[in-house]
Amino acid sequence: MTPLDLESVHGLSSDEAALRIQSFGYNELPGSAPHGILEIIGDVAKEPMFILLVASGLIYFLLGDMAESIMLMSFVGIIIAITVYQERKTERALDSLRNLSSPRALVIRDGKQRRIAGREVVPGDTLILVEGDRVPADGILLSSNNIQVDESLLTGESIPVRKVVWTKDTPAERPGGDDQPFLYSGTMVVQGQGLAEVIRTGAKTEMGRIGSILKTVDRGETRLKTEIVHLVRSIAIIGFFLCLIIVIVYSVSRGNWIEGLLAGITLAMAIIPEEFPVVLTVFLALGAWRISKKNVLTRQVPAIETLGSATVLCVDKTGTLTENRMTVHSFFSDEKMYEGDSQKIRSVPENYHEMAEFAILACKKDPFDPMEKALIELSKGDFGKTEHIHTGWELIVEYPLSPDLLAMSNVWRSPGGDEYVIATKGAPEAIADLCHFDSGKLQSLTEDINRMAARGLRVLAIARASFTICKLPEEQHDFTFTYLGLIGFADPVRSLVPDAIHECYAAGIRVIMITGDYPLTAQNIGEQIGLKHTGRCITGAELDLMDEDELKSRIRTTDLFARAVPEQKLRIVNALKANGEVVAMTGDGVNDAPALKCADIGIAMGGRGTDVARESSSLVLLDDNFTSIVSAVRLGRRIFDNLKKAMAYIISVHIPIAGMSLIPVLFNMPLILLPVHIVFLELIIDPACSIVFESEKEEPNVMNRPPRQSREGLFTKKILVLSLLQGFVVLTMVFIIYLNAVSRGFGDAEVRTLTFTTIVISNLCLILTNRSWSETILTTLRSYNKAMIWVFAGTIISLILVLFLPVLQDLFRFGAVPNIDLIICVLAGIMSVIWFECYKCRDSRRIVEGDKSTVLFFI
């Protein structure tokens, strides 16, 4: 078959293609099947916290307390609704990304060229591949016109490989290496044209085979989830024994088993932490939504917890730290170099006009190659207005790149001209060969190239020739070329990356850059972005020679890996994790997938990433931008900080409630709290801990403190001590009000009224003081929190109604009390948190005075 002889190709018929889709399935990788609603509910129902919540609701239902039962079961519905919504939202977003990344394919069917969806390609299809196409399936090359393919998604090697036509005696090969006839799904044609026959689709492709590695790598439960489950179980066990004690003590001391059972149930209502599952679900679900606003899709919601505790960010260079586009940066000729601004790519100094002119002439008219695109951009600025742009010239012939000569030439003729003009560009050593450099010139050229490479540039050499009109030669070597100079290309660093790197360092987060580029290029980019330790670099070849112990030692002081392939990322991740680091890893290729899944936080690229990479990741970066990762880390820390505040508040507020349910029974005093009072308090507690604290702004020092230690639990000694202390101080104030009312001879209804009012006011004060553990109430009141306003307004109005509306007074078993006593209750509630405000002021003052031993925030 002659190259690209389309007339003799008929391809499959439409009927044959339809039958093969039935036999082989669609050409797509098997992803995680979308969870149905029943399956999601089933997963939620397996959680111990959920089981405890349902059990609590059923107990009250069997005891006839419908109000409390309905309240608890409503939490069940909330948890399920939020989980279903988040799962569906995530799946829809991933489906959109998957559709964007799915390639279209040009095939021959029924003897005609047809453009179809890549998923509809079947074995036996004939593909037409041209420059810029993504190969939709594995195949063999039937005919070729100098075709080259970028297989970096599979091999990690950025240099395109040459392809040759398949013959029957060709041995099977793996991806990588020149002069092979095999094409692989997901790779990109960067030069030439060809016809190929599809031999494998879907999971049977090379991409699908590599994806199977993911089944051997698994993530464990997050520390947050494990800790919450353990905490709930512990509280449930304690609550069970306390309830049992209350039932026995009350029944023995007062001789009434029914009232004893009710007292025990009331204590259970006060102790059982039904808020924990609600808070955890709401915080993570709303956190995922907030992070999505920063162009980061949360694929696995628990990763939000880990995100805020990341100690190392391992990132790719191209497209993440840089803009993934080539720009003309430098011109070098006659021992002089002009370095331009990468953002002003259309400016060409007068001395380099001829070089730029022939560089453009050596390009394709509508190029795909990024360096050719950068050269064409030169003609769109001021340089495009000069006489060096030849829109009317006729392209006579192209001399393409070849395995023996990495240079290409275009032969042009001007209108009415009597000679050809030849423009050539290519690898400097190839241009030196065409210009017949002697050893001295070659040595000088090598030095020039190294100078430019040290600046992180990719280099092309430019030459020109002329030829009198006659039969053109077969090879480029037959022309007499004149060397014009070198052009350096740069992939500009994203403008906000240096500031983001600085923010990471301020937050105690290491940044490690992993790239397939040469060490000099990697070090230059590292210096531009402000990366530390750029002088220490480990190459992929050096990494292969290291054992695990040496790598663990070297990686402690190395932040730069050059000439690295994707498979080596897994070793890097494992070495960092072995050193106790919490690792976030970015990746886009199929071979990145095992590292993404092994990392504590796998971050897939949404723009250029593969389906396999996304399926393996915790997060999907929608804009492929490093600054979005840093924004997500900031939000992750905020979310986790606020979750701590909510959990601390829950512990604090339950102590006075449980205490006032327990103390009267143990000391044979009047019972105060009944189930209806607990329900009322839950109406304040639940929205406060799940909505008010979730919407709190970040702490001032959120990115100026080290990450949370990986072995540190949600409840540190400091947070537990301060939370318990807050609760017991409130309990003390409430008990003082209780004792005072009893000693003054108030009846049970009046004692209950004063005690309950004090608990409610103290509850509101706990919300105010726990909004920040570094700023005082007066400071936090300046920051707007809509949810808090609604909670406070609803609570105060409801409290007034139950205190003064007769119907509600009877329901709550309240009595009329003097207004002065109600004012005392309010003052007692305020006084219960004054000590903590003083504590925060003392800590702030010590920080200002430079006592760094005091950690301002409670992590």
Side-chain angles (χ1 to χ4, degrees):
M1 180 186 297
T2 59
L4 301 188
D5 181 10
L6 301 180
E7 298 298 328
S8 62
V9 180
H10 185 271
L12 297 177
S13 68
S14 298
D15 292 339
E16 287 176 317
L19 289 174
R20 295 192 184 196
I21 286 179
Q22 293 179 6
S23 299
F24 298 100
Y26 283 104
N27 178 36
E28 54 192 4
L29 295 179
S32 299
H35 289 171
I37 293 179
L38 292 178
E39 186 178 358
I40 295 172
I41 294 174
D43 291 340
V44 175
K46 296 175 184 177
E47 297 294 331
M49 294 180 291
F50 182 88
I51 294 172
L52 181 61
L53 186 60
V54 172
S56 302
L58 290 176
I59 289 173
Y60 293 114
F61 175 78
L62 293 175
L63 292 174
D65 192 341
M66 296 301 297
E68 181 64 16
S69 178
I70 292 172
M71 179 67 65
L72 292 177
M73 298 309 284
S74 68
F75 291 151
V76 173
I78 292 172
I79 293 173
I80 293 174
I82 291 175
T83 306
V84 170
Y85 172 77
Q86 184 59 33
E87 286 277 349
R88 293 299 190 193
K89 182 178 177 181
T90 301
E91 289 295 339
R92 284 196 299 269
L94 286 171
D95 286 341
S96 298
L97 285 173
R98 192 176 293 116
N99 292 336
L100 286 174
S101 66
S102 179
R104 305 281 292 173
L106 183 62
V107 301
I108 300 178
R109 294 245 179 110
D110 301 312
K112 298 178 181 179
Q113 298 183 32
R114 294 177 56 188
R115 181 75 65 177
I116 64 173
R119 69 190 298 267
E120 296 176 3
V121 171
V122 297
D125 260 329
T126 302
L127 302 173
I128 302 174
L129 299 172
V130 297
E131 190 174 283
D133 282 350
R134 191 172 292 279
V135 180
D138 287 5
I140 53 176
L141 194 60
L142 301 179
S143 65
S144 170
N145 182 3
N146 194 38
I147 194 168
Q148 293 192 25
V149 179
D150 178 357
E151 295 183 345
S152 59
L153 284 177
L154 296 172
T155 66
E157 178 56 57
S158 59
I159 299 175
V161 294
R162 297 185 302 274
K163 295 296 180 179
V164 297
V165 174
W166 176 81
T167 59
K168 292 183 178 181
D169 57 351
T170 303
E173 290 287 341
R174 299 288 297 279
D178 289 319
D179 301 325
Q180 297 295 326
F182 302 102
L183 301 169
Y184 300 98
S185 175
T187 59
M188 177 76 75
V189 178
V190 297
Q191 180 178 305
Q193 303 165 353
L195 288 176
E197 179 182 337
V198 175
I199 57 175
R200 290 185 298 269
T201 58
K204 296 181 180 179
T205 62
E206 185 70 13
M207 182 181 287
R209 187 194 65 80
I210 296 176
S212 64
I213 298 174
L214 303 178
K215 297 178 182 178
T216 65
V217 184
D218 194 16
R219 293 189 182 98
E221 296 285 0
T222 66
R223 178 175 290 274
L224 173 61
K225 190 173 183 179
T226 303
E227 188 175 0
I228 292 293
V229 169
H230 176 73
L231 179 64
V232 171
R233 285 174 178 168
S234 299
I235 293 177
I237 293 172
I238 294 172
F240 172 77
F241 283 107
L242 285 176
C243 291
L244 189 61
I245 291 172
I246 288 299
V247 171
I248 295 174
V249 169
Y250 192 100
S251 302
V252 171
S253 62
R254 306 192 188 190
N256 191 324
W257 285 93
I258 298 298
E259 289 188 4
L261 184 60
L262 289 175
I265 293 298
T266 301
L267 179 62
M269 293 175 63
I271 291 179
I272 291 176
E274 69 269 14
E275 299 92 358
F276 281 126
V278 177
V279 168
L280 183 60
T281 303
V282 169
F283 266 71
L284 295 183
L286 291 181
W289 173 77
R290 292 186 187 279
I291 289 177
S292 71
K293 300 299 182 182
K294 299 295 182 181
N295 289 317
V296 179
L297 174 67
T298 305
R299 195 174 182 281
Q300 296 178 349
V301 174
I304 296 171
E305 168 221 348
T306 315
L307 188 63
S309 61
T311 60
V312 178
L313 294 181
C314 296
V315 295
D316 295 311
K317 175 182 73 68
T318 303
T320 306
L321 300 174
T322 65
E323 296 180 4
N324 197 24
R325 65 177 180 88
M326 283 294 172
T327 61
V328 175
H329 180 275
S330 302
F331 296 93
F332 187 93
S333 179
D334 297 328
E335 303 300 322
K336 296 180 181 178
M337 180 181 292
Y338 169 78
E339 292 187 280
D341 182 353
S342 296
Q343 303 301 323
K344 299 177 181 177
I345 58 177
R346 299 172 186 173
S347 175
V348 181
E350 179 69 31
N351 295 342
Y352 303 99
H353 275 194
E354 184 182 25
M355 189 193 307
E357 172 188 2
F358 280 89
I360 293 171
L361 288 172
C363 295
K364 296 180 181 293
K365 288 186 176 181
D366 187 18
F368 177 78
D369 182 85
M371 288 190 282
E372 287 194 342
K373 286 183 176 180
L375 289 170
I376 294 297
E377 283 291 315
L378 295 176
S379 64
K380 297 179 181 179
D382 293 337
F383 182 67
K385 302 174 184 178
T386 68
E387 70 278 7
H388 296 284
I389 301 299
H390 309 289
T391 57
W393 284 19
E394 179 187 2
L395 179 61
I396 304 301
V397 70
E398 298 179 11
Y399 290 89
L401 290 167
S402 68
D404 300 322
L405 185 66
L406 298 177
M408 63 175 294
S409 299
N410 285 344
V411 180
W412 298 87
R413 183 170 64 185
S414 62
D418 58 357
E419 68 176 7
Y420 297 113
V421 173
I422 299 93
T424 302
K425 63 175 173 58
E429 59 272 20
I431 299 300
D433 183 21
L434 290 175
C435 295
H436 306 294
F437 277 16
D438 58 26
S439 59
K441 288 184 177 181
L442 194 58
Q443 176 64 29
S444 177
L445 177 65
T446 301
E447 294 174 357
D448 297 340
I449 295 169
N450 289 337
R451 287 174 59 187
M452 299 182 76
R455 289 170 167 80
L457 305 177
R458 294 187 179 184
V459 182
L460 285 182
I462 310 299
R464 62 161 297 173
S466 59
F467 196 80
T468 304
I469 291 179
C470 63
K471 184 178 180 180
L472 291 170
E474 295 290 333
E475 297 181 354
Q476 299 178 68
H477 275 291
D478 293 331
F479 296 109
T480 302
F481 283 101
T482 301
Y483 173 71
L484 297 178
L486 303 172
I487 297 181
F489 299 83
D491 184 0
V493 169
R494 291 182 184 266
S495 60
L496 299 179
V497 164
D499 289 340
I501 295 286
H502 177 75
E503 190 173 12
C504 285
Y505 288 146
I509 302 172
R510 281 179 66 192
V511 180
I512 294 179
M513 184 172 77
I514 304 173
T515 178
D517 267 339
Y518 291 97
L520 284 176
T521 303
Q523 287 170 340
N524 180 271
I525 296 296
E527 291 170 359
Q528 289 185 48
I529 64 176
L531 194 70
K532 292 182 179 179
H533 310 132
T534 54
R536 303 170 190 165
C537 178
I538 296 177
T539 65
E542 293 171 339
L543 182 62
D544 284 337
L545 297 176
M546 295 180 188
D547 59 26
E548 300 307 318
D549 290 335
E550 183 182 1
L551 178 58
K552 285 165 55 180
S553 175
R554 290 279 301 278
I555 206 169
R556 289 190 175 97
T557 56
T558 302
D559 294 340
L560 190 60
F561 289 82
R563 302 303 288 168
V565 297
E567 289 88 342
Q568 294 171 329
K569 287 185 177 181
L570 185 58
R571 288 195 64 196
I572 294 171
V573 169
N574 285 330
L576 288 168
K577 291 178 70 174
N579 287 340
E581 305 283 4
V582 178
V583 185
M585 167 69 74
T586 67
D588 56 6
V590 175
N591 279 13
D592 290 329
L596 290 175
K597 194 165 186 180
C598 181
D600 298 287
I601 310 158
I603 306 173
M605 300 296 105
R608 65 180 190 275
T610 62
D611 286 350
V612 174
R614 292 190 199 103
E615 291 287 343
S616 314
S617 64
S618 308
L619 305 173
V620 178
L621 200 60
L622 300 179
D623 59 357
D624 296 359
N625 193 339
F626 176 76
T627 56
S628 296
I629 302 175
V630 180
S631 297
V633 170
R634 173 185 286 272
L635 271 174
R637 289 189 173 194
R638 168 191 162 179
I639 292 164
F640 197 69
D641 286 351
N642 289 342
L643 181 58
K644 283 182 172 181
K645 297 173 189 176
M647 294 298 182
Y649 162 75
I650 291 171
I651 291 175
S652 300
V653 79
H654 271 272
I655 289 175
I657 299 173
M660 292 311 297
S661 300
L662 179 64
I663 293 174
V665 176
L666 294 179
F667 295 96
N668 199 22
M669 301 174 73
L671 289 179
I672 297 300
L673 297 181
L674 304 173
V676 66
H677 304 123
I678 306 297
V679 172
F680 183 96
L681 291 170
E682 292 296 341
L683 289 174
I684 307 171
I685 296 171
D686 290 324
C689 60
S690 62
I691 300 176
V692 173
F693 287 108
E694 193 283 329
S695 59
E696 273 300 310
K697 67 180 182 66
E698 64 196 34
E699 292 287 331
N701 66 335
V702 68
M703 290 297 280
N704 289 293
R705 51 181 166 86
R708 184 172 67 102
Q709 294 294 321
S710 60
R711 294 181 297 275
E712 183 179 301
L714 176 65
F715 295 101
T716 63
K717 290 182 179 179
K718 181 175 182 178
I719 187 175
L720 275 175
V721 168
L722 290 177
S723 299
L724 292 172
L725 194 55
Q726 284 187 69
F728 280 111
V729 169
V730 170
L731 175 59
T732 301
M733 297 300 297
V734 171
F735 192 60
I736 289 174
I737 296 294
Y738 172 82
L739 287 178
N740 178 63
V742 171
S743 65
R744 290 167 60 189
F746 283 135
D748 288 357
E750 289 76 19
V751 172
R752 182 176 295 113
T753 302
L754 295 176
T755 305
F756 183 77
T757 301
T758 307
I759 291 176
V760 172
I761 299 300
S762 298
N763 189 349
L764 296 179
C765 291
L766 282 175
I767 295 173
L768 288 174
T769 196
N770 280 289
R771 287 181 67 193
S772 174
W773 279 35
S774 62
E775 296 180 331
T776 63
I777 290 176
L778 293 178
T779 303
T780 57
L781 284 176
R782 299 171 190 166
S783 60
Y784 179 71
N785 188 320
K786 183 177 180 180
M788 187 191 74
I789 293 174
W790 281 105
V791 169
F792 270 57
T795 300
I796 293 172
I797 293 172
S798 299
L799 181 61
I800 292 173
L801 291 175
V802 299
L803 288 176
F804 299 105
L805 195 64
V807 175
L808 294 179
Q809 273 188 345
D810 293 340
L811 177 63
F812 279 77
R813 299 184 188 180
F814 285 165
V817 296
N819 290 336
I820 186 64
D821 284 299
L822 291 177
I823 294 174
I824 292 173
C825 292
V826 173
L827 293 176
I830 295 173
M831 291 296 295
S832 67
V833 299
I834 291 296
W835 73 271
F836 191 57
E837 292 297 296
C838 295
Y839 169 83
K840 289 190 285 187
C841 290
R842 186 204 65 175
D843 262 10
S844 299
R845 189 163 53 249
R846 291 179 64 183
I847 290 294
V848 171
E849 292 171 356
D851 185 356
K852 302 301 182 182
S853 64
T854 300
V855 180
L856 187 61
F857 192 63
F858 65 106
I859 57 172

